[in-house]
Amino acid sequence: MRAEISFGKSLIGILFVGLAAASCTTTSKPAATAANTKTKQGQAAKVTFNYTAKDRECLQRAMYFESQHSDEDGYMAVGTVVMNRLTSGAYPPSICGVVAQKRQFAPGVMTREVKPQAETELATAADAILIKGARHPAVKDAMFFHTDGLKFPYDNMHYVTVAGGNAFYEKRDANGTLETPPPLPSYEVAMNYVPGESMLPPQFEALIPSEVPVPLPAPDPMATASTGQMRITAPVTSPETSVEPEPGMTIAIPIPRPAYDSVMLGESLPANGG
């Protein structure tokens, strides 16, 4: 009898342990799933910015001339300011637009000569920013800087670091809040390289002269004339249903639009930014 009672207690104990283990396993799965879902959502929240070879050159020029031709630390600090402005939404939506903005960066930043000796280090710094998402950690949210050693009587200049001969600062109000829209952190930014992208808007691409002449399409028989001297006094019909014009009837013949040549392009299209 005692053996049967002991066996019964053992069986109940085994069932209780099994249920407890099953209960723990069941409650841990939703937590893991939630963590995975949160990670996937964080990865999908990146904001993509396109850049071209010209944008990469603009970034290098800003880093070179604004850091007084210093070193990688100075290059990365200035490059971080450029990216902070790009992703803040308060400045032009392209790297070249940010760098070429009037009265913001060094005079001649888009036109002066970059010494060949600095090109390798500049390329490395630019690729670190654009491809790897690197930033100068001490620059933080700064979008402004001036030559180190200068003093200004403003209370909103919150200095964060000195690099490449420049003092970098954030503009903050009396409560410590940024006065400009904050930039996106690098882990929320994806830079997409667009090779061979034209610097002209899409509507102007057809006006770029080609090495091989492209024949103009046949004029639309239903189109109106492009000159004010001609006028249509009767509808133009298809060949199958055409009728002979009445005596004295004026018929307008559409004239193809004249081809654009280099002279017309030079007068009508704006010059590249710089």
Side-chain angles (χ1 to χ4, degrees):
M1 183 65 179
R2 290 182 179 179
E4 291 177 358
I5 294 173
S6 177
F7 176 75
K9 289 182 179 180
S10 299
L11 182 60
I12 293 173
I14 293 173
L15 290 175
F16 178 77
V17 172
L19 289 174
S23 176
C24 292
T25 304
T26 303
T27 55
S28 63
K29 284 183 179 179
T33 303
N36 292 337
T37 303
K38 185 176 181 181
T39 302
K40 291 180 180 179
Q41 289 177 349
Q43 293 175 352
K46 288 192 174 183
V47 179
T48 301
F49 293 85
N50 290 335
Y51 74 97
T52 65
K54 182 66 176 177
D55 288 310
R56 183 174 178 270
E57 178 189 348
C58 290
L59 178 62
Q60 291 179 228
R61 284 182 161 276
M63 293 190 297
Y64 181 71
F65 290 112
E66 289 290 7
S67 66
Q68 304 176 18
H69 321 168
S70 59
D71 53 18
E72 185 178 1
D73 188 58
Y75 295 159
M76 292 297 295
V78 175
T80 299
V81 167
V82 173
M83 299 304 294
N84 282 352
R85 290 192 173 200
L86 174 68
T87 62
S88 73
Y91 293 89
S94 69
I95 294 176
C96 281
V98 169
V99 175
Q101 192 173 13
K102 292 182 178 180
R103 295 184 295 276
Q104 296 297 314
F105 287 87
V109 66
M110 299 293 291
T111 56
R112 292 159 60 189
E113 179 187 3
V114 177
K115 299 299 181 182
Q117 299 88 327
E119 289 181 355
T120 300
E121 196 168 18
L122 280 172
T124 301
D127 289 342
I129 290 175
L130 296 173
I131 299 175
K132 299 179 182 178
R135 300 287 188 272
H136 193 295
V139 172
K140 300 180 181 178
D141 292 337
M143 300 183 204
F144 310 93
F145 58 88
H146 59 71
T147 303
D148 185 32
L150 299 179
K151 301 295 182 182
F152 298 91
Y154 306 114
D155 297 331
N156 63 344
M157 301 170 71
H158 178 74
Y159 290 93
V160 293
T161 191
V162 174
N166 292 313
F168 295 81
Y169 64 95
E170 304 165 343
K171 287 186 177 181
R172 294 183 177 273
D173 59 21
N175 297 322
T177 305
L178 282 174
E179 295 180 353
T180 53
L184 295 175
S186 60
Y187 58 81
E188 291 185 6
V189 175
M191 299 302 297
N192 177 50
Y193 176 62
V194 184
E197 183 75 5
S198 173
M199 301 304 292
L200 293 174
Q203 62 265 30
F204 291 114
E205 292 182 357
L207 306 183
I208 300 176
S210 173
E211 296 181 1
V212 180
V214 179
L216 292 173
D220 186 353
M222 298 301 295
T224 59
S226 58
T227 60
Q229 298 177 352
M230 290 188 176
R231 56 191 178 88
I232 296 179
T233 58
V236 180
T237 58
S238 61
E240 292 77 8
T241 61
S242 61
V243 295
E244 292 295 329
E246 297 178 3
M249 179 182 294
T250 303
I251 298 179
I253 302 175
I255 299 176
R257 180 175 297 179
Y260 287 88
D261 55 20
S262 59
V263 175
M264 296 177 68
L265 282 173
E267 295 177 351
S268 60
L269 293 182
N272 288 339

